[in-house]
Amino acid sequence: YLMQIDSLQRINNELMAENTEVKEKYTAATTQITNLNTEKEQLKETVSIAAQLNATGITVSPLNKKGKVAKRVKDCTQLAVSFTIARNPTAKAGGRNAYIRILKPDNSPLTKGETCTYENKKLEVSFKKFIEYGGEELNVQGYYDVDEYLPTGNYRIFVFVDDRMIGQSTFAINK
């Protein structure tokens, strides 16, 4: 019986050592998986940021009823908005809507009831423009028909695509 007890004691000690080793390996693997998942999320965010479009050269021109640059505010019937979406080969190609929001000097939007989503909020926008983006630089031009009084002062303009603000600028109407 003593030999069997010694044999079982030795086997039990080996199994306990193996169990401890397996638990340590499991804890190390779990920690590594957690770290890899965190790193994966950070990389997804980085790729998402890299794939974001960027609008540059945002300009606004007040136009009269003949399509010429309006000399005075009272002659303005349209606002011509133009901008360039920069080249971004990591951005997904395809059709999407660009939403343009123009804020008057008192921070109220020029709008006709169109909305977009930005940071989980609905925003009133001035107009939307469908664009077909292929990864290369794209010039975009859109128009807002003015049917209200435009006060003189500094206006702000924002461009949104894919629920993200991709550009902003200011312009002044002084006459």
Side-chain angles (χ1 to χ4, degrees):
Y1 287 120
L2 248 73
M3 283 179 42
Q4 276 185 333
I5 290 172
D6 275 349
S7 176
L8 290 174
Q9 184 67 30
R10 192 174 5 93
I11 292 171
N12 189 31
N13 288 340
E14 288 174 7
L15 288 174
M16 286 174 53
E18 185 180 337
N19 188 13
T20 303
E21 183 182 334
V22 167
K23 284 181 181 178
E24 289 171 358
K25 285 182 180 179
Y26 175 77
T27 302
T30 302
T31 303
Q32 185 178 10
I33 289 170
T34 302
N35 291 340
L36 288 173
N37 283 338
T38 303
E39 185 178 337
K40 179 181 171 185
E41 289 303 316
Q42 290 171 343
L43 289 173
K44 275 185 183 179
E45 186 176 324
T46 301
V47 168
S48 174
I49 290 169
Q52 181 175 324
L53 299 179
N54 187 24
T56 60
I58 301 170
T59 59
V60 179
S61 300
L63 302 177
N64 62 20
K65 61 184 176 186
K66 293 181 181 179
K68 306 282 185 194
V69 176
K71 303 263 191 259
R72 290 180 270 181
V73 174
K74 69 177 187 166
D75 297 333
C76 181
T77 60
Q78 263 187 342
L79 294 174
V81 177
S82 62
F83 56 92
T84 301
I85 296 180
R87 179 182 183 275
N88 187 345
T90 60
K92 186 178 121 187
R96 52 189 72 158
N97 287 317
Y99 295 94
I100 292 77
R101 184 174 200 220
I102 303 171
L103 295 180
K104 296 187 272 188
D106 65 359
N107 284 330
S108 62
L110 291 173
T111 186
K112 303 235 191 271
E114 191 75 45
T115 62
C116 78
T117 304
Y118 175 63
E119 294 182 349
N120 296 321
K121 296 177 187 169
K122 287 277 188 199
L123 290 180
E124 290 184 299
V125 295
S126 302
F127 65 95
K128 74 178 176 180
K129 174 82 176 172
F130 181 78
I131 57 172
E132 190 68 41
Y133 186 71
E136 295 300 318
E137 190 171 278
L138 177 67
N139 293 320
V140 179
Q141 187 155 8
Y143 299 92
Y144 176 78
D145 293 324
V146 177
D147 56 2
E148 60 189 272
Y149 171 73
L150 293 179
T152 59
N154 292 322
Y155 288 70
R156 295 184 302 154
I157 183 167
F158 301 90
V159 180
F160 301 92
V161 174
D162 298 332
D163 298 336
R164 295 179 184 209
M165 182 173 56
I166 65 168
Q168 63 181 333
S169 186
T170 60
F171 66 98
I173 297 179
N174 294 322
K175 296 180 185 180

